[in-house]
Amino acid sequence: TELALNGYFPRLNHRVKKPSAIAPYPISVDNIRIGFGKNNLQNEYLTFHLARPKDYFLHVANKPGAHVIIFDSDPPKSAIQLAAEIAILSAGLPNGEVELTDQKYVKKGDRPGRVYLLNHQTMNIREISENTKQLYQNASRYAGKLSRGGRESR
């Protein structure tokens, strides 16, 4: 469990956490891969194990929600828009502000999934497109093996 992973309870040797339990949800737009987590363990894994320093990190401002990573250092506006809308959707909001920065400016907080940003920009999302809602609802956790940068390992 999460408590055992964080040292609050001893780990039981016969119960091993499956890697797929922390696998993020991948989608893609314009051949750009985007990943997001739906809980703190997925967020932690996505942000600090899969993302590279120049990948884009997005998160809804001042609320709990998904970490969204764009696996590209110079993504098109359409990918940034989609990722920002996913950040808003994950927080259960119809609209709002999203903070974005390079992953290298994201630092671990006091608990898994908690972060603080050293540097960021803010963008305002007024409406979430139907396409984004469909992509979000139909997303399923990645079943393969991921390596850093969100690419499948062979």
Side-chain angles (χ1 to χ4, degrees):
T1 69
E2 178 183 339
L3 293 173
L5 286 173
N6 292 313
Y8 293 105
F9 294 117
R11 282 191 179 176
L12 302 176
N13 288 334
H14 67 280
R15 293 184 69 176
V16 177
K17 187 103 175 128
K18 295 179 183 177
S20 63
I22 60 172
Y25 292 79
I27 56 175
S28 98
V29 61
D30 299 334
N31 294 320
I32 303 294
R33 295 185 67 187
I34 298 171
F36 62 95
K38 289 189 177 180
N39 64 45
N40 60 345
L41 294 177
Q42 291 169 0
N43 286 342
E44 182 89 4
Y45 182 69
L46 178 67
T47 303
F48 297 108
H49 296 279
L50 296 179
R52 297 168 296 188
K54 293 255 184 194
D55 290 339
Y56 272 42
F57 170 91
L58 296 91
H59 193 280
V60 66
N62 304 314
K63 301 239 185 251
H67 292 194
V68 183
I69 298 289
I70 303 173
F71 294 103
D72 194 279
S73 61
D74 188 24
K77 287 182 181 180
S78 59
I80 295 170
Q81 180 71 26
L82 175 65
E85 289 179 9
I86 287 170
I88 294 294
L89 269 174
S90 73
L93 300 171
N95 54 48
E97 290 187 339
V98 174
E99 298 171 334
L100 65 140
T101 190
D102 288 346
Q103 186 277 341
K104 67 183 174 185
Y105 297 118
V106 181
K107 300 302 174 194
K108 288 186 180 193
D110 58 348
R111 292 184 276 185
R114 285 253 175 119
V115 298
Y116 62 95
L117 307 179
L118 299 178
N119 181 18
H120 70 275
Q121 297 175 0
T122 303
M123 64 186 289
N124 191 25
I125 300 298
R126 295 183 185 175
E127 187 178 354
I128 298 168
S129 74
E130 287 303 317
N131 182 50
T132 301
K133 290 176 186 176
Q134 281 290 71
L135 286 170
Y136 183 80
Q137 289 173 354
N138 295 332
S140 58
R141 280 193 291 190
Y142 189 75
K145 227 178 171 184
L146 291 177
S147 62
R148 284 187 73 86
R151 286 165 180 80
E152 189 172 351
S153 19
R154 305 228 184 250

